[in-house]
C-alpha cells in the first residue's frame, strides 16, 4: 500500500529532535525562536510567530482584532472546518461564499457578501495554490466597501478597513507575483501539521504583515505574550537564575509551540528547497501522465507570477457523480494506493447544517467536491510509485465506467 501522506522524517530531523531532548529544554525556547527566524527569512517577512496549531493562531488573531457577537467573517464554503470553527470560537459568524474553478474562493462573490458587520475576510490557498489576492485587495480598498465598514474595537479603528487574514495552511512554498506567500495579506497563517509540506507534528506559523500605523515588531511581542497567557516572561526567561518575577497583563491563551516540535520543522526547512523541488517534480509527472485523458481535470500549478506549493494534487474526474467518484476511490484503494478527498464542503457537515448553511447555495463547491480525488504527493515517492499511482487511477476509472455502462445497458 502506498500511503497518502506520511511525514518526512530524515536523520537530520531525528538529530535535531535529539539535540532538543539532550538540551534539557523542550518547551518554548531557542529552537522555536530559530524556526520563526528561518520561516521569516524564507518568506522575506521579518515577523513570524509560531503557535501550536493553525486553528489556535487564527482564533487568537480574531480575538486580537476584537471580534464580537454579531460580527461577520467571510470564508469560502469549500475549506477545512478549522477556517469556520476559528471564527465561531472567536465569537463571530462565518459568512460563506462559493468556490471558483480553481477551488479557491470566488472573488466575484466576495463583495456581495460584505455588510457593515464584516470585520475580516479569510481567503484560503486551496491545495497550496494562491488565491486571487490582487482582486481581493481591490475589493477591500473600494470606497463603497470602506464607507460601510463599522469598527467595533480599537484595532479595527486603527486599521480602518476589513482585515485580510490569509488561510495559508497549505501554501508555505507558494508564490504570488513572484514573491513568497505572506506579502499579500495583513496576516497569513501557515499550518505545520503532520501532513503539511513542513511539519512540527502539530503547529502553525503566523506571518505578521500589518500596514502602518501598526508596528509589526511590537505586534509580534504583544501576540507572543498572548500565546503564553499574556505573561510578561516566558518559562525560558524565568528559568534564568533570579528572573522569576512576572505579571499577567491581559486575557491570553496557552497556545505556544514547544522546542521539541520546532526541531522537526527546523530540520525540514533547511532542506526545503530539495523537498519542495521534489513535490513539484511529482506534480508535473501527474500533469504529464494524465493530460491525455479527457476525463481528468488537473489542478492548477502555475500561472503568471503564481505558483502552488504542491501541497495537494486534487484531481477531478469529469462528469462523475459522488457515488461514482467513491467507487473509483474504492478501486484505487484495492490496487494498493491510498487516496483522499479534500474537502467535504462545510455546508454538508452536520454541525454547519445545524447552523442553517445549505450546500445548494454553493453549487461550484459541490461540483468540485463530488468529482475530487487527492492523489499522494510527498518527497519520498519514487518515480516508479508515481507511475503506478497514475496507472491505478486510469485503470480504476476504466473499470468503474465500464461497469456502469453495463448496468445502464441492462
Amino acid at each position: 500500500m502506498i500511503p497518502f501522506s506520511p511525514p518526512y522524517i530524515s536523520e537530520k530531523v531525528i538529530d535535531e529532535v535529539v539535540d532538543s531532548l539532550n538540551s534539557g529544554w523542550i518547551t518554548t525556547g531557542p529552537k522555536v525562536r530559530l524556526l520563526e527566524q528561518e520561516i521569516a527569512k524564507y518568506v522575506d517577512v521579518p515577523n513570524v510567530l509560531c503557535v501550536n496549531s493553525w486553528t489556535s493562531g487564527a482564533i487568537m488573531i480574531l480575538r486580537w482584532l476584537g471580534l464580537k457577537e454579531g460580527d461577520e467573517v467571510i470564508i469560502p464554503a469549500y475549506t477545512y472546518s478549522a477556517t469556520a470553527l476559528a471564527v465561531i470560537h472567536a465569537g463571530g459568524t462565518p459568512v460563506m461564499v462559493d468556490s471558483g474553478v480553481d477551488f479557491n474562493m470566488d472573488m466575484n462573490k466576495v463583495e456581495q457578501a460584505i455588510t457593515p458587520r464584516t470585520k475580516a475576510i479569510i481567503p484560503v490557498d486551496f491545495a497550496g495554490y494562491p488565491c486571487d489576492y490582487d482582486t481581493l485587495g481591490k475589493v477591500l480598498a473600494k470606497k463603497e466597501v470602506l464607507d460601510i465598514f463599522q469598527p467595533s474595537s480599537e484595532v479595527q479603528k486603527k486599521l480602518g478597513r476589513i482585515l485580510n487574514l490569509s488561510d495559508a495552511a497549505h501554501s508555505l512554498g507558494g508564490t504570488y507575483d513572484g514573491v513568497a506567500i505572506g506579502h499579500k495579506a495583513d496576516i497569513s497563517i501557515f499550518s505545520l501539521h503532520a501532513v503539511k509540506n513542513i511539519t512540527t507534528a502539530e503547529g502553525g506559523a503566523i506571518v505578521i504583515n500589518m500596514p502602518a500605523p501598526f508596528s509589526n515588531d511590537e505586534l509580534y511581542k504583544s501576540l507572543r505574550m498572548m500565546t503564553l497567557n499574556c505573561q510578561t516572561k516566558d518559562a525560558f526567561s524565568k528559568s534564568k537564575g533570579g528572573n522569576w518575577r512576572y505579571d499577567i497583563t491581559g486575557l491570553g491563551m496557552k497556545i505556544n509551540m514547544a522546542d521539541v516540535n520546532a526541531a522537526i520543522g527546523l530540520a525540514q526547512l533547511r532542506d526545503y528547497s530539495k523537498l519542495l523541488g521534489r513535490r513539484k517534480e511529482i506534480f508535473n509527472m501527474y500533469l504529464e501522465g494524465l493530460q491525455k485523458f479527457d476525463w481528468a481535470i488537473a489542478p492548477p500549478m502555475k500561472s503568471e507570477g503564481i505558483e502552488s506549493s504542491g501541497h495537494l494534487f486534487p484531481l477531478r474526474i469529469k462528469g462523475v457523480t459522488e457515488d461514482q467518484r467513491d467507487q473509483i476511490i474504492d478501486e484505487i484503494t484495492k490496487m494498493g494506493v491510498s487516496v483522499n478527498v479534500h474537502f467535504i464542503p462545510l455546508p454538508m457537515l452536520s454541525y454547519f447544517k445545524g447552523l442553517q448553511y445549505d450546500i445548494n447555495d454553493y453549487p461550484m463547491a459541490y461540483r468540485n467536491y463530488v468529482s475530487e480525488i487527492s492523489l499522494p504527493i510527498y518527497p519520498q515517492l519514487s518515480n516508479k510509485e508515481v507511475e503506478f499511482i497514475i496507472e491505478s487511477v486510469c485503470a480504476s476509472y476504466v473499470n468503474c465506467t465500464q461497469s456502469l455502462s453495463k448496468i445502464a445497458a441492462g
Side-chain angles (χ1 to χ4, degrees):
M1 175 68 74
I2 296 175
F4 178 70
S5 186
Y8 178 80
I9 305 298
S10 65
E11 285 302 317
K12 290 179 183 178
V13 171
I14 293 168
D15 289 346
E16 196 71 36
V17 172
V18 170
D19 182 66
S20 180
L21 295 172
N22 286 335
S23 74
W25 193 265
I26 60 173
T27 188
T28 307
K31 286 197 188 293
V32 170
R33 187 66 187 121
L34 190 53
L35 178 61
E36 291 174 346
Q37 292 168 350
E38 290 291 329
I39 295 174
K41 181 180 176 183
Y42 183 82
V43 300
D44 195 27
V45 178
N47 291 282
V48 172
L49 175 65
C50 285
V51 289
N52 65 355
S53 73
W54 182 96
T55 307
S56 59
I59 294 168
M60 180 180 69
I61 292 299
L62 291 169
R63 288 182 178 177
W64 164 79
L65 182 64
L67 214 62
K68 295 181 175 63
E69 185 177 353
D71 287 345
E72 296 174 349
V73 178
I74 296 172
I75 68 168
Y78 198 15
T79 181
Y80 182 59
S81 60
T83 314
L85 295 176
V87 175
I88 294 168
H89 280 301
T93 300
V95 173
M96 299 181 193
V97 300
D98 205 2
S99 306
V101 293
D102 62 355
F103 290 99
N104 285 331
M105 180 187 285
D106 186 343
M107 293 303 171
N108 295 319
K109 299 184 184 301
V110 169
E111 189 171 355
Q112 302 167 26
I114 294 173
T115 74
R117 295 182 297 277
T118 306
K119 299 301 188 290
I121 294 176
I122 307 182
V124 176
D125 298 334
F126 186 92
Y129 187 77
C131 68
D132 188 351
Y133 286 105
D134 282 348
T135 297
L136 179 57
K138 289 173 184 174
V139 169
L140 295 180
K142 279 189 173 183
K143 184 179 184 302
E144 50 268 43
V145 172
L146 293 171
D147 285 347
I148 67 168
F149 180 65
Q150 295 182 5
S152 56
S153 74
E154 289 305 311
V155 171
Q156 293 169 27
K157 288 175 187 175
K158 190 174 180 179
L159 181 59
R161 59 165 170 79
I162 296 166
L163 181 77
N164 182 355
L165 171 57
S166 170
D167 181 342
H170 293 175
S171 55
L172 180 59
T175 60
Y176 191 95
D177 283 346
V179 298
I181 295 302
H183 289 258
K184 286 291 184 178
D186 300 313
I187 303 282
S188 302
I189 309 180
F190 298 123
S191 173
L192 303 175
H193 177 264
V195 300
K196 298 302 188 291
N197 289 21
I198 295 292
T199 182
T200 55
E202 296 283 354
I206 303 171
V207 181
I208 304 167
N209 188 44
M210 294 294 292
F214 290 90
S215 165
N216 290 317
D217 290 346
E218 291 303 313
L219 183 53
Y220 167 83
K221 293 174 186 175
S222 175
L223 291 173
R224 188 172 188 275
M225 282 179 54
M226 196 172 178
T227 69
L228 290 157
N229 292 317
C230 284
Q231 184 172 292
T232 53
K233 288 179 185 171
D234 61 28
F236 188 71
S237 299
K238 285 171 62 184
S239 70
K240 312 290 175 153
N243 201 29
W244 57 270
R245 193 177 296 277
Y246 64 91
D247 193 12
I248 300 294
T249 59
L251 181 62
M253 301 169 69
K254 186 63 170 67
I255 61 171
N256 56 302
M257 180 184 285
D259 264 25
V260 71
N261 294 87
I264 303 170
L266 197 53
Q268 290 190 353
L269 194 58
R270 288 169 182 155
D271 276 345
Y272 195 34
S273 60
K274 178 184 75 175
L275 302 179
L276 185 59
R278 180 57 184 158
R279 279 184 174 272
K280 291 178 180 180
E281 286 175 2
I282 294 167
F283 200 109
N284 288 325
M285 285 183 69
Y286 282 140
L287 291 179
E288 186 177 344
L290 293 165
Q291 66 180 354
K292 57 190 171 188
F293 302 106
D294 59 5
W295 50 263
I297 305 172
M301 175 63 185
K302 203 172 184 179
S303 60
E304 292 183 14
I306 301 174
E307 188 166 2
S308 175
S309 69
H311 173 58
L312 297 173
F313 191 93
L315 174 68
R316 281 167 289 183
I317 310 298
K318 187 184 293 183
V320 296
T321 65
E322 186 176 355
D323 285 344
Q324 290 167 346
R325 186 272 316 272
D326 292 350
Q327 288 175 33
I328 294 170
I329 288 175
D330 289 344
E331 284 293 312
I332 296 170
T333 304
K334 288 174 187 175
M335 293 185 181
V337 177
S338 180
V339 295
N340 209 325
V341 172
H342 291 85
F343 294 102
I344 301 174
L346 300 180
M348 296 179 68
L349 301 172
S350 296
Y351 177 71
F352 297 103
K353 282 182 183 177
L355 296 176
Q356 306 308 307
Y357 296 97
D358 185 347
I359 191 58
N360 292 314
D361 295 330
Y362 314 97
M364 194 65 203
Y366 182 72
R367 194 181 312 165
N368 285 336
Y369 156 71
V370 297
S371 62
E372 196 272 342
I373 303 174
S374 297
L375 306 185
I377 181 167
Y378 48 89
Q380 305 95 301
L381 282 172
S382 68
N383 286 358
K384 188 175 180 179
E385 286 174 321
V386 175
E387 290 166 2
F388 179 73
I389 292 166
I390 295 169
E391 291 168 5
S392 299
V393 171
C394 294
S396 298
Y397 174 81
V398 170
N399 290 345
C400 288
T401 51
Q402 286 180 346
S403 175
L404 290 167
S405 296
K406 289 178 183 177
I407 292 170

